[in-house]
Amino acid sequence: MGAQPRRSRPDDGHADALFALEDLDPGQERLPRADTGPLFRDTPAARRLLAVTEIRAEAAAAASRRGRQILARFPDARILPVASHWAIPDLHGNAGNVDRWVRIKREVLVLGEKKTLTTRPNGRSADWIAPSSANGCAMACAYCYVPRRKGYANPITVFTNIERIIDHLSRHIARLGPKPEGNQCDPAAWVYDIGENSDCSVDALISDNVGDIIRSFARWPSAKASFATKFVNPDLLLLEPKGRTRIRFSVMPQADSRLLDIRTSPVESRIAAAGEFLEAGYEIHFNLSPVVLRPGWETAWADLLRHMDDVLPTRVKNQAAAEVIMLTHNEELHDLNLGWHPRAEDALWRPDLQEPKRSENGGINVRYQRAVKYDAVDRMGTLIARHAPWLRIRYAF
């Protein structure tokens, strides 16, 4: 039986950290090496995704070192003070914002401090869920679960107290010590998901939070960072992760992505980037996610898997693994999507195939009926074995 994560202890000082807080360097924004040219985040392509005109900021976050750096990146943005990054009445819970769903994601940024730092056991994508350095996203995937918690607006919130987040992780990893035995998360390292509520590739367009975390994991021999992404950010190639960060490129058939993955990198681009990111020192896995059951879904996934088999370098295939994740949806998100992207709900909302499911945080979601889901998971396994037999399935649910 694989090693089981132990529960984290309270944030109780710095004595057992892997290295001292003063050894961290979360301050100066990192510049590209002299031979690399400008950063991608400063290009017109990046600004089309994230053109910030308004920043809602907690006072302490705006005054912090990281906060000042972010404000300097967007000098023309209007700064509006807020008491809490979590409760902004005209942003969160305002049904009138549905008509501005994508515009808010592109133009609004929130700065706050992460008040409670906890590391939760997981066991699926990772052994542990790390405290997030951001939540929300500039992309607009129609099935995303994060906006269910905020309601009607889901721009990126950046947590500026990155030093405390990294110090918390350092002490948590030090307390665990070496992983006693392998499991499906990893054969040797404790794996920490650092992007549960955001896309780290997009977060790296705003600040160096993600870079600080990746550089820290490069120094921690018993642990790995991990995050899923639907965006190709070449700036991450400069970070020298030294094999201690796993990028899980999320892929789905391109027709599904055009309908559901709004504002993301094309699926073919995510697949094409795998070799370069592996060469830069990342471990590369794939999320086959979400699997949406609609007419022709098996043919579409077979085409995608054949494409991956055709274009991925052998060196990527030799270390690749995959998660197969069936769609989970939510009635509130269904109602929200009807206000801005009703065509997506033709594929996502299937009462004839779905049943209620209570999530870990107590919310009521819908998933495919048990028999339907098990049959679809089996079919996905058969498709992978036939068209991409090199792709090891780490888990499927």
Side-chain angles (χ1 to χ4, degrees), residues 225-340:
S226 177
F227 64 90
T229 185
K230 302 180 186 72
F231 188 74
V232 179
N233 182 351
D235 293 346
L236 299 183
L237 297 170
L238 307 175
L239 297 179
E240 300 181 358
K242 301 179 181 178
R244 309 311 301 177
T245 293
R246 173 186 297 163
I247 295 181
R248 306 178 336 259
F249 283 108
S250 292
V251 299
M252 62 168 58
Q254 187 58 45
D256 287 0
S257 182
R258 282 194 296 268
L259 177 66
L260 305 173
D261 275 358
I262 310 303
R263 312 191 81 224
T264 62
S265 296
V267 172
E268 288 86 349
S269 298
R270 305 174 210 171
I271 296 169
E276 192 172 10
F277 275 82
L278 180 68
E279 195 70 24
Y282 292 93
E283 184 180 34
I284 303 300
H285 285 191
F286 296 95
N287 279 11
L288 311 185
S289 166
V291 178
V292 179
L293 304 185
R294 60 186 190 135
W297 71 269
E298 288 179 88
T299 299
W301 276 99
D303 290 344
L304 175 65
L305 291 164
R306 282 195 295 268
H307 174 72
M308 294 174 68
D309 187 52
D310 288 342
V311 305
L312 285 172
T314 300
R315 64 184 186 277
V316 173
K317 295 178 181 180
N318 287 343
Q319 54 83 69
E323 303 169 10
V324 179
I325 305 172
M326 305 300 295
L327 172 71
T328 298
H329 201 27
N330 175 275
E331 187 169 3
E332 290 183 24
L333 183 59
H334 166 66
D335 292 338
L336 187 153
N337 285 345
L338 290 176
W340 77 278

Side-chain angles (χ1 to χ4, degrees), residues 38-48:
L39 288 171
F40 172 76
R41 70 185 186 192
D42 295 325
T43 64
R47 287 193 290 271
R48 282 194 294 272

Side-chain angles (χ1 to χ4, degrees), residues 14 21 24-27 64-66 113 117 159-171 209 212:
H14 311 297
L21 195 57
L24 304 174
D25 182 13
S64 69
R65 188 176 186 184
R66 182 53 37 90
E113 290 193 328
L117 302 180
F159 298 124
T160 60
N161 54 333
I162 187 65
E163 302 97 326
R164 284 195 64 219
I165 293 170
I166 291 175
D167 182 57
H168 169 92
L169 284 169
S170 175
R171 288 180 285 108
N209 276 6
D212 287 336

Side-chain angles (χ1 to χ4, degrees), residues 18 29 76 96 131 148-149 279 283 303 307 335 395:
L18 290 181
E29 295 285 70
D76 298 326
R148 301 173 195 170
R149 301 181 64 196
E279 195 70 24
E283 184 180 34
D303 290 344
H307 174 72
D335 292 338
Y395 76 90

Side-chain angles (χ1 to χ4, degrees), residues 54-93:
E54 179 179 298
I55 299 177
R56 310 291 190 97
E58 295 177 353
S64 69
R65 188 176 186 184
R66 182 53 37 90
R68 294 196 305 272
Q69 292 167 349
I70 294 170
L71 294 178
R73 279 193 51 73
F74 304 101
D76 298 326
R78 182 171 57 141
I79 314 301
L80 300 176
V82 296
S84 168
H85 70 83
W86 189 251
I88 306 175
D90 63 318
L91 194 62
H92 305 148

